[in-house]
């Protein structure tokens, strides 16, 4: 039982790392505009797609490819939402204007 839990935790951690690598690549391409908004979606997409491959009975090795694809899909959707709803303008009031302090 304990080994199963450790095994699952390691897989979730590995899928999260794959998701964050995809997030970094997409964020660099956008020059980090909306990157913090998309980070949780990237992890959620990676873990969800990785776990879904195990549920449907696909080989474990394919779960990392599915994690990358799921992370890319949800991260792209989060970036599109950021642009469509102009969330950068809405959250601009939260930032400090005077950075001399």
């Amino acid at each position: 039982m304990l080994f199963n839990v450790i095994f699952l935790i390691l897989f979730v951690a590995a899928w999260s790392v794959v998701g964050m690598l995809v997030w970094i690549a997409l964020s660099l391409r956008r020059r980090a505009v909306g990157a913090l908004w998309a980070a949780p979606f990237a992890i959620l997409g990676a873990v969800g797609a990785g776990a879904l491959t195990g549920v449907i009975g696909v080989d474990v090795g394919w779960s990392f490819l599915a994690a990358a694809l799921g992370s890319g899909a949800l991260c792209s959707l989060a970036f599109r939402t950021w642009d469509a709803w102009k969330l950068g303008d809405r959250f601009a009031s939260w930032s400090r204007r005077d950075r001399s302090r």
Side-chain angles (χ1 to χ4, degrees), residues 3-5 20 22 29 31 38 44-46 49 53 64 87 101:
F3 290 115
N4 291 338
V5 172
M20 292 311 293
V22 171
R29 187 171 157 237
R31 295 185 180 163
L44 181 68
T53 56
F64 292 103
L87 295 178
R101 294 180 200 173

Side-chain angles (χ1 to χ4, degrees), residues 20-99:
M20 292 311 293
L21 291 175
V22 171
W23 170 75
I24 287 171
L26 291 175
S27 294
L28 287 175
R29 187 171 157 237
R30 288 181 46 100
R31 295 185 180 163
V33 174
L36 287 177
W37 167 263
F41 294 104
I43 295 173
L44 181 68
V47 172
L52 186 63
T53 56
V55 169
I56 62 174
V58 180
D59 189 24
V60 173
W62 289 100
S63 69
F64 292 103
L65 177 63
L69 293 175
S71 173
L74 270 185
C75 195
S76 295
L77 186 66
F79 283 136
R80 283 189 201 153
T81 304
W82 178 270
D83 294 336
W85 288 81
K86 296 180 177 61
L87 295 178
D89 296 336
R90 293 180 188 209
F91 293 136
S93 64
W94 292 12
S95 65
R96 274 193 331 191
R97 299 282 185 219
D98 184 19
R99 299 200 184 261

